[in-house]
């Protein structure tokens, strides 16, 4: 197959060599130079890379979106039993996603305006091949309604459970990023769908 690609990268996954090609027409993944295993129409992707997301020992495919939201990706997980890549649905709703240490839960970070003085984070988990939102932190430092709001999310409905002063983030060396990481690590259990306890 002849592809005029802007970006070409290769990786060995599950003992097979895969080559990814990203062009203005879309993204193609070729196995062993002859078998097209993934073909996507262009959806404002401007880059991609191979990286193991779920720590199963197999590299997955991150397709990075253009726009003003940093580290926003579509993610295709490698399925060893089938030797194929499958999309993790909704993952592009969780930019800058990181795993909470010692858990199967993840959190995001996203700017919301005011030169990043408004910001937010979602807590989420993976079920099947979908990312599911559990909770949200909303920080507002735009000078109108400053503060930090914590929401529990069920069926995409946000329910306010706690309100904190904005200067709470000043207690952390890394500011809001340190607060977000610490808060989710300490409180993620309280946002499980079956848990009715109060958050700290």
């Amino acid at each position: 197959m002849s592809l005029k690609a802007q970006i070409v990268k290769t990786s060995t996954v599950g003992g097979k060599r895969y080559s990814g090609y990203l062009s203005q027409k879309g993204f193609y993944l070729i196995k062993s130079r002859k078998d097209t295993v993934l073909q996507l129409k262009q959806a404002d992707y401007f880059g991609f890379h191979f990286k193991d997301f779920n720590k199963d020992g197999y590299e997955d495919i991150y397709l990075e979106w253009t726009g003003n939201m940093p580290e926003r990706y579509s993610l295709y997980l490698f399925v060893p039993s089938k030797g194929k890549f499958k999309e993790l649905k909704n993952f592009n709703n969780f930019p800058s996603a990181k795993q909470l240490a010692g858990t199967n839960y993840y959190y995001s970070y996203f700017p919301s305006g005011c030169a990043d003085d408004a910001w937010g984070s979602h807590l989420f988990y993976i079920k099947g091949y979908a990312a599911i939102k559990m909770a949200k932190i909303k920080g507002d430092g735009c000078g109108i309604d400053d503060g930090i709001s914590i929401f529990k999310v069920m069926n995409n409905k946000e329910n306010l459970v706690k309100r904190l002063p904005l200067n709470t983030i000043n207690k952390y060396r890394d500011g809001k990023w340190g607060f977000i990481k610490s808060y989710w690590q300490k409180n993620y259990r309280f946002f499980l769908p079956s848990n009715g306890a109060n958050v700290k």
Side-chain angles (χ1 to χ4, degrees), residues 3-165:
L3 295 171
K4 294 182 179 180
Q6 297 169 320
I7 302 175
V8 180
K9 295 182 181 180
T10 61
S11 181
T12 299
V13 185
K16 301 293 183 180
R17 190 165 181 80
Y18 293 87
S19 297
Y21 300 82
L22 180 63
S23 72
Q24 293 180 347
K25 293 184 178 180
F27 176 77
Y28 301 83
L29 185 68
I30 312 298
K31 182 171 68 175
S32 302
R33 298 185 178 180
K34 60 181 179 179
D35 185 13
T36 302
V37 295
L38 189 61
Q39 182 174 339
L40 305 171
K41 293 181 180 179
Q42 179 53 267
D44 292 328
Y45 301 130
F46 77 93
F48 76 95
H49 61 269
F50 293 91
K51 182 180 177 181
D52 186 0
F53 170 75
N54 51 4
K55 306 298 189 294
D56 64 353
Y58 300 95
E59 289 191 319
D60 309 300
I61 299 171
Y62 289 72
L63 287 155
E64 189 166 8
W65 289 72
T66 58
N68 59 1
M69 189 74 68
E71 295 188 53
R72 179 175 173 240
Y73 299 98
S74 288
L75 178 61
Y76 285 78
L77 297 173
F78 183 71
V79 184
S81 61
K82 297 183 179 180
K84 295 181 178 181
F85 291 85
K86 186 176 178 65
E87 183 180 13
L88 179 58
K89 295 180 180 179
N90 308 321
F91 187 75
N92 63 346
N93 293 327
F94 304 100
S96 302
K98 294 178 176 60
Q99 187 171 14
L100 285 175
T103 78
N104 291 320
Y105 300 95
Y106 304 82
Y107 67 97
S108 67
Y109 173 81
F110 54 92
S112 297
C114 291
D116 208 20
D117 283 336
W119 45 271
S121 174
H122 287 119
L123 179 69
F124 67 100
Y125 65 99
I126 308 300
K127 184 177 181 180
Y129 286 93
I132 300 173
K133 191 184 304 180
M134 299 167 57
K136 177 182 177 180
I137 294 174
K138 179 184 177 183
D140 193 342
C142 296
I144 299 174
D145 187 26
D146 289 356
I148 301 171
S149 301
I150 315 292
F151 300 87
K152 187 170 185 176
V153 180
M154 295 186 67
N155 300 318
N156 288 320
K157 184 178 180 181
E158 298 179 355
N159 297 297
L160 181 66
V161 295
K162 196 172 186 66
R163 176 89 171 165
L164 298 170

